[in-house]
Each structure stands twice: as structure tokens, then as C-alpha cells.
Amino acid sequence: MVGHTPWWKDAVVYQIYPRSFMDSNGDGIGDLNGITSRLDHLQVLGIDTIWLSPHFDSPNADNGYDIRDYRKVMAEFGTMDDFDRMLAAITERGMRLIIDLVVNHSSDQHEWFVQSRSSRDNPYRDYYVWRDGVDGGPPNNYPAFFGGSAWEYDAATDQWYLHYFAPQQPDLNWEHEPVRREVYDLMRFWLDKGVAGFRMDVIPFISKQPGLPNLEGEQRARPHYVYAGGPRVHEFLHEMHTEVLGPYDAVSVGEAFGVEVSEIPKFTDTAREELSMIFQFDLVRLGHPHWRQRSFTWPQFKRIVADMDEVAGTTGWNTSFLANHDNPRMVSQFGDDSPAWRERSAKALATWNLTQRATPFVYQGDEIGMTNYPFTDIEQYDDVEVKGLWRGLVETDKVPAAELLEHLAHTSRDHSRTPVQWSAEAEGGFTAGTPWLAVNPNHTEVNAAAQMMDDGSVFHHHRRLIALRRAHPALVHGAYRDLDPEHPTVFAYTRTLDDVSVLVLLHLCGDALDYSLPAGVTIADTWLAEAHAPEPIPGAGSVRLAAWHASIHLL
Ligand code: TEU
Ligand code: CA
């Protein structure tokens, strides 16, 4: 079909982490009815697609990323009726729902695993990856992301099972064809209900390395690149496309942890019929490749953006995002979350996120500029990853506790998991009870209710950006060109479609600057320059950019 572009290229997606979004019944845990009750907020914002982090039955070793029953709703989140009502309400508003497909691993309480571990000749044995130990130890030296070995010994059958994440998250064996059939069936179950597609958890990890050899040298520091490099991943994804995604015309977003920018087209080149888009992690992890915080420069950031666009922007389609439930808050990581610059830097970052040639993902709370939580003590954290780091680094390797805490205060996944701040009321209006994770004390200043009333808020800036993106196809589909890639703080890029050329000007810095526009650039009109319009300096061909300036112009 000539000229046909799939709907998801024009979509703006909002990620909901259900546990922390909105609690409807006072038990301190967000739930599906809570989501249904807040759809107006998303509609006012202009969101058309929701990605819901896992809502399935789970013992919550990793907040739902350990699924016990793929066809049941987590009891804490509600019932299947609640899900159906939520989906109907989403659909009535003309929005779509993407759910989370977590099939690299299941919960150890999933019936398949209960069977699998029961005996070596159980019909479900090969649903998981079992191996004999070597010299009384694990089969190889793979580390798990949440601490220790990626192998767990199971005395019942005197073998070890593989788990890239927690021991309660055994990896499924995709080499075994019945596993793939089960996955395709459960995908159809949810598609038949009317979901639009899937975000796929660590999907490149599904193909294991033949023979599972030890990690050597450099690989030991970056195991995810080995885990993501199995030889059959593209075969499996193409099969999934043929079996399910294609026939249902479903959208797919692969979480491609461990995938280099140069590898993106292998997943998203439309001719290959695998995935619609992936999340690539070079940008979001620039300031914290792992638990340690690290400094970065804007030219480094811009280089990644340009590379991604060049490598994958034409054969397929990219995503843009600056945060999610596994990373710190957007404004704390990339902006300045001090009261002086919090709002302006959040607006500048939102302007970047919503003007890429990519489908933008907005993580819950970032639309109001929520910040990292002031964690000071290990007891305040909930995350299984933090607990694993504590055991491994502090208890085993004797890294000073203060050193780990200093870094976690910037990098922990829990920063993004504190409840959404709906109002200045107790617990930010998230719950009438006691929240499962503390609400950020700054909810009295940073909250949705206040921002809704304030036309100059981060919320309304997001709303205007989304509306602008919808109104101007150049902002979605236009070619990307970075006009000043080496400037240390200014980001000046164009988005060009046919005869429309749009300039985005960002100043990612807490100081003002007189900036000479790149040669040949003449601003014809200003579409958005809220609260801090660039002041033309007469006759100088330059503009005065305020701290954390953000503006969009027609050239
Ligand atoms: O995340 C895997 C991943 O890519 C990492 O960000 C991971 O969370 C960790 O930070 C590695 O250091 C996915 C989910 O998004 C995450 O919430 C789950 O914990 C994980 O898979 C296991 O399902
Ligand atoms: Ca609840």
C-alpha cells in the first residue's frame, strides 16, 4: 500500500506502572479501577495509546515481571471484569492499549515450572533450561541481574535451572516448540479481547547461546550483550510475526536491552517482519550504565540520537523515551530537579522527547515533572534489584554502604516507582490508605491538580507539544538533521517534510546564552516558545537563549 503509514508511527504512548498509578480502594496499591478513573487526565494530555506494565497474576518477586498465570489479572489490581471495563473505557475514548508480554521467563510459581521441576521426565521439563552442575557448582559463570549466579540448584532433581533475573524468574526454553505455541496462544487470548499489541520484556534474551559457554573477558561486564545475541532470536520473532503479530495487525515494541544501535534494523526493518519498534538503551543509560552514576555530555547524547535516526529511521521506526519504570526520573537524570529549574528543564526535555522521528513514550508522572525521591536509607527501597546490589556489593564485596547509597540516590529504579502525585493532599491523592512505596514529599508542590489549573505548567507544555505534533506531520515523519552537533549545551535540529522545515531549539543548561543561529537559518514563525521566548538580538543573526530554553519554529 503506497503512502500507508501504520497508526503507531503517529501515536504518543503513555506508560502506566499500575502499582503506582492510582489506588481506588485504599489498600495502598494502584489498581485497574484506579486507571479507569484517571483516563480523563490522559485524554486531556492528548495521549492516544497506553502501555500497561504487567497486570497479570503474580507473586510479585519483581512487581509483576514474574507471571504465575498469563490469563489472569493480579488480584491486587482487580478482576478480569475490571480489566474488560478498563479496556472498554480506553477504547470508547478512541485510545488503544498495549500490554506487557513477559515471556523470556515466568514466575517459579507458574504451573509450567511447578511441573517442570517436579521430575526429570515430566512433560514440562523442557519448558525451562535445566543443566547439570560442574564440579559441584553452577553449569557456567553467567551472572543474574539481581545478584549472584544465573543458575539455581534444585535438589529435587539434582539439576540447575537458568534465571537471568531473580531465582523466582526461571527462563523459558524457546528452543522447545511447545513453549512458543503457548506464548502465541496467550498473545491471541489478549488480542481477542481487543488489546492493540505488546511491549515485549527483554525479548532479545529468548534465544540462548548454543552450549551456554562461560562469559570471557569483557563479556563479564556486559552479560546482556551476550544474552541478547542468541542465534535464533530473529527466527523466533519472525515466527511470532507470522503466527500472531501479522494476522492481528498488532503493534510490538521490543525491550532491546543488550542491543547495539547498529543492530536495531535487524529487529525493526519492516521487510524482515519482526517487531514494529524497539527500545534501545544507549540514551537512557548514558548517565548510569549500571548502578553507578556517571557524567555525560550533550554532544554524546546528540550523537546517539543522530546515529539511531540514521541507522534505523528509514528502514523501520524508532522510539524516543527518557525514562521508564527501570530508570530514574527524566528531570532528575537529564535535567535539573532543583526548585529553580525543575519545571523549565522538564519542559525542555519534553520538547526533545516529543519532536523526534520516533514514537514518543511518556512515563507516568513525567508529564508533571515528578523528580527522584530523596532516598537516604536502604530500608526505604523496595526494588529486588537494589536488594541484590546490597547483598552483592555491600555484604559480599565490602563496597562501603555509603558509596552504594550515594549512587542509588540517583540511579535506583524505585525513583520512578513512587506513586503518581495527583494532588497536594495526603499521600498525593494516590491512596486513602498507606502507599506501598512512599510518596515523594514534594507532592505539595509537584502535583497534577495544581498543574491542570496552571496554563504554564509542565503538564500543559506536554499537552501543547502533543497537539503540535498531531497538527504537523513534519514533527512526526520529517527527516532529522542536527545543525550543531558539537555545541556543548545547545541542541538545534530540523525536521523536514516536503516543503515544511521545522527548527527545534533547546538550551540544556542553567545559564543564558547568546546563540548565533547556524548559517542559512532564518526563522519565519514561532510555534511554541512558552514562558521563555528567544529574544532576537537585532541585526546580529543571533538569539538570546534563556536557561533551559525550548522553542519550536517554522523556517
Ligand atoms: O527490564 C530489563 C532491563 O532491561 C533492565 O533495565 C533491568 O531492569 C535491570 O535494570 C538490569 O540492571 C525488564 C523489566 O522492564 C524490568 O522491570 C524487569 O525487572 C526485568 O525485565 C525482568 O523482567
Ligand atoms: Ca488498590
Side-chain angles (χ1 to χ4, degrees), residues 48-329:
D48 56 274
T49 305
I50 295 168
W51 152 29
L52 182 64
S53 275
H55 65 280
F56 314 92
D57 176 45
S58 163
N60 287 309
D62 184 17
N63 286 351
Y65 282 94
D66 49 321
I67 297 173
R68 179 165 48 200
D69 186 336
Y70 289 96
R71 288 178 173 77
K72 239 166 108 179
V73 171
M74 190 189 298
E76 291 170 329
F77 292 171
T79 63
M80 191 62 92
D81 282 347
D82 296 335
F83 179 88
D84 292 340
R85 252 196 315 274
M86 178 189 75
L87 180 55
I90 290 170
T91 310
E92 265 164 36
R93 284 170 159 79
M95 302 184 199
R96 292 181 170 92
L97 179 66
I98 295 175
I99 59 172
D100 217 310
L101 185 74
V102 188
V103 289
N104 171 69
H105 45 269
S106 73
S107 163
D108 63 340
Q109 293 185 26
H110 194 292
E111 182 59 24
W112 300 333
F113 191 71
V114 173
Q115 295 283 338
S116 184
R117 78 189 323 177
S118 68
S119 74
R120 289 197 186 200
D121 54 11
N122 184 281
Y124 287 92
R125 186 66 171 179
D126 289 338
Y127 270 47
Y128 296 87
V129 184
W130 292 97
R131 293 288 185 277
D132 290 327
V134 173
D135 301 331
N140 74 10
N141 68 359
Y142 280 11
F145 290 108
F146 300 152
S149 165
W151 295 95
E152 187 79 359
Y153 179 68
D154 207 41
T157 56
D158 188 28
Q159 278 196 315
W160 301 67
Y161 67 84
L162 181 67
H163 60 89
Y164 286 164
F165 294 88
Q168 298 93 328
Q169 294 168 297
D171 279 46
L172 285 158
N173 176 16
W174 276 67
E175 307 283 327
H176 188 54
E177 207 221 325
V179 168
R180 308 207 294 277
R181 242 181 288 129
E182 299 266 17
V183 170
Y184 305 151
D185 274 357
L186 76 88
M187 292 172 74
R188 291 184 193 104
F189 171 85
W190 291 99
L191 288 166
D192 286 337
K193 278 188 172 286
V195 308
F198 305 93
R199 175 268 187 184
M200 300 182 179
D201 196 60
V202 287
I203 200 70
F205 290 7
I206 57 177
S207 168
K208 309 307 183 209
Q209 294 290 352
L212 297 166
N214 279 330
L215 299 178
E216 304 288 351
E218 297 242 304
Q219 293 178 331
R220 302 177 77 134
R222 332 185 324 143
H224 44 304
Y225 289 90
V226 175
Y227 299 167
R232 297 185 69 186
V233 59
H234 297 291
E235 174 198 337
F236 294 156
L237 290 177
H238 181 66
E239 181 183 83
M240 181 193 278
H241 188 280
T242 309
E243 291 280 330
V244 188
L245 299 172
Y248 279 87
D249 198 16
V251 65
S252 52
V253 193
E255 190 208 17
F257 195 50
V259 170
E260 307 271 12
V261 168
S262 59
E263 300 278 303
I264 301 175
K266 292 194 181 159
F267 293 87
T268 62
D269 181 343
T270 44
R272 295 172 59 90
E273 301 189 310
E274 293 187 22
L275 301 177
S276 315
M277 307 170 258
I278 64 165
F279 296 127
Q280 205 279 346
F281 282 84
D282 284 5
L283 264 192
V284 84
R285 285 291 168 98
L286 196 53
H288 66 117
H290 192 30
W291 60 276
R292 270 184 197 284
Q293 192 194 20
R294 162 179 92 175
S295 60
F296 67 90
T297 67
W298 289 112
Q300 288 173 328
F301 182 101
K302 293 189 263 185
R303 218 162 297 139
I304 297 171
V305 175
D307 279 357
M308 295 215 348
D309 184 77
E310 192 186 322
V311 167
T314 50
T315 59
W317 192 249
N318 283 313
T319 58
S320 67
F321 66 105
L322 290 175
N324 60 26
H325 66 293
D326 293 332
N327 290 285
R329 283 284 170 190

Side-chain angles (χ1 to χ4, degrees), residues 525-543:
D525 195 5
T526 294
W527 283 350
L528 183 139
E530 198 180 341
H532 34 97
E535 295 164 34
I537 298 171
S542 67
V543 285

Side-chain angles (χ1 to χ4, degrees), residues 23-31 76:
D23 174 25
S24 72
N25 63 354
D27 66 355
I29 297 172
D31 46 51
E76 291 170 329

Side-chain angles (χ1 to χ4, degrees), residues 357 472-480 494-502:
R357 178 160 74 171
H472 301 287
L475 284 173
V476 179
H477 302 281
Y480 174 80
T494 52
R495 303 292 316 283
T496 306
L497 186 68
D498 303 326
D499 56 354
V500 177
S501 203
V502 183

Side-chain angles (χ1 to χ4, degrees), residues 12-21 41-42 45 47 49-54 63 65 100 199 279 284 320-331 350 353-354 359-372 412-422 436-437 458-459 462 466:
V12 178
V13 187
Y14 185 92
Q15 183 191 350
I16 292 182
Y17 192 69
R19 205 170 191 78
S20 307
F21 188 67
H41 174 84
L42 302 189
L45 192 57
I47 295 299
T49 305
I50 295 168
W51 152 29
L52 182 64
S53 275
N63 286 351
Y65 282 94
D100 217 310
R199 175 268 187 184
F279 296 127
V284 84
S320 67
F321 66 105
L322 290 175
N324 60 26
H325 66 293
D326 293 332
N327 290 285
R329 283 284 170 190
M330 170 178 84
V331 67
N353 196 32
L354 287 152
T359 294
F361 286 70
V362 178
Y363 180 66
Q364 69 180 31
D366 281 350
E367 80 280 20
I368 56 170
M370 279 177 61
T371 63
N372 281 356
S412 157
R413 309 198 297 179
D414 278 337
H415 292 294
S416 286
R417 299 177 178 190
T418 66
V420 170
Q421 296 161 205
W422 293 104
W436 72 277
L437 189 64
V458 178
F459 178 88
H462 270 90
I466 294 171

